[in-house]
Amino acid sequence: LTAQKHLFLLLLDLQKVLDSCKLNLNQIDEVLPNIYIGNVAVAQNKAALQKLGITHVLNAAHSKRGSIGNRGFYGNDFVYCGIPADDSTHFDLDVYFQPAADFIHKALKTPDGKVLVHCIMGMSRSSTLVLAYLMIYRHLPLKQALQKLIQKRAIYPNRNFLALLLDLDLQLTRKKKTCQIL
């Protein structure tokens, strides 16, 4: 089995997990305690966010068409972090995995911290960053992280993002093995 074929089979397996999700896509869902994934419409409704008790906003579509959210927009009401990600087959979202995971982690450590992670639809970029958080901070393998999220929200990371997450999964697994040897 070539490495490429192996990767393809792993991606197919993950795609099957995603396809097994029977949920409808909502504007916003609490996918884990105090972690929400949502779309741009809910992200731009500050009253709705305050009603939910959201304290932190991670915008995975910062400065993209249709996404007006930025520090100026949120003012002092929310802690804001913007990631200018494209939902494309070429975008290297993996350079943002660690900073996004750190932002989510810090948000949850603040008293009453609740974080909204959003992009335009709340399906691909935002879910990819939450999956990276689950893998980095909660030490979940990618497949388990996917299974956890699809119980709460209809997500669909694009194939490029899935491949980047698989890469992260392999790196973290390798790191775990090295740590056990030491």
Side-chain angles (χ1 to χ4, degrees):
L1 207 61
T2 65
Q4 211 167 5
K5 201 171 222 171
H6 182 65
L7 181 69
F8 180 73
L9 292 173
L10 287 172
L11 282 172
L12 272 183
D13 189 38
L14 297 174
Q15 209 84 52
K16 274 189 198 122
V17 172
L18 289 170
D19 291 338
S20 73
C21 179
K22 299 292 175 244
L23 301 174
N24 291 320
L25 186 63
N26 299 316
Q27 280 206 336
I28 189 168
D29 291 294
E30 188 172 15
V31 292
L32 291 150
N34 301 324
I35 299 178
Y36 296 77
I37 295 178
N39 65 18
V40 72
V42 76
Q44 291 172 0
N45 182 340
K46 289 194 276 194
L49 297 182
Q50 284 168 327
K51 205 175 192 171
L52 287 167
I54 301 291
T55 56
H56 292 67
V57 175
L58 175 56
N59 178 356
H62 179 77
S63 77
K64 299 298 164 197
R65 197 176 55 224
S67 178
I68 58 166
N70 58 32
R71 269 193 195 87
F73 175 77
Y74 289 106
N76 295 327
D77 299 330
F78 305 91
V79 179
Y80 178 82
C81 175
I83 291 176
D86 283 316
D87 188 6
S88 77
T89 50
H90 308 294
F91 191 80
D92 293 328
L93 190 57
D94 54 347
V95 298
Y96 295 106
F97 286 174
Q98 191 67 52
D102 293 345
F103 181 81
I104 294 168
H105 184 67
K106 264 191 209 126
L108 296 176
K109 284 177 78 159
T110 59
D112 305 320
K114 287 186 179 184
V115 63
L116 165 67
V117 183
H118 81 89
C119 47
I120 302 295
M121 303 279 297
M123 288 176 77
S124 185
R125 289 168 277 196
S126 52
S127 64
T128 300
L129 294 176
V130 172
L131 288 163
Y133 161 78
L134 286 174
M135 294 162 66
I136 293 167
Y137 277 100
R138 304 273 175 100
H139 311 291
L140 287 181
L142 175 55
K143 191 172 180 179
Q144 238 181 303
L146 277 173
Q147 287 164 333
K148 201 170 186 65
L149 282 194
I150 64 165
Q151 290 169 11
K152 303 286 185 180
R153 183 168 179 83
I155 60 167
Y156 221 85
N158 74 41
R159 204 167 259 192
N160 168 39
F161 294 165
L162 272 183
L164 294 172
L165 286 167
L166 256 180
D167 202 40
L168 176 67
D169 203 25
L170 294 170
Q171 286 171 37
L172 293 170
T173 309
R174 250 184 256 125
K175 202 180 274 180
K176 232 182 270 166
K177 283 183 183 145
T178 338
C179 290
Q180 284 165 354
I181 295 164
L182 297 176

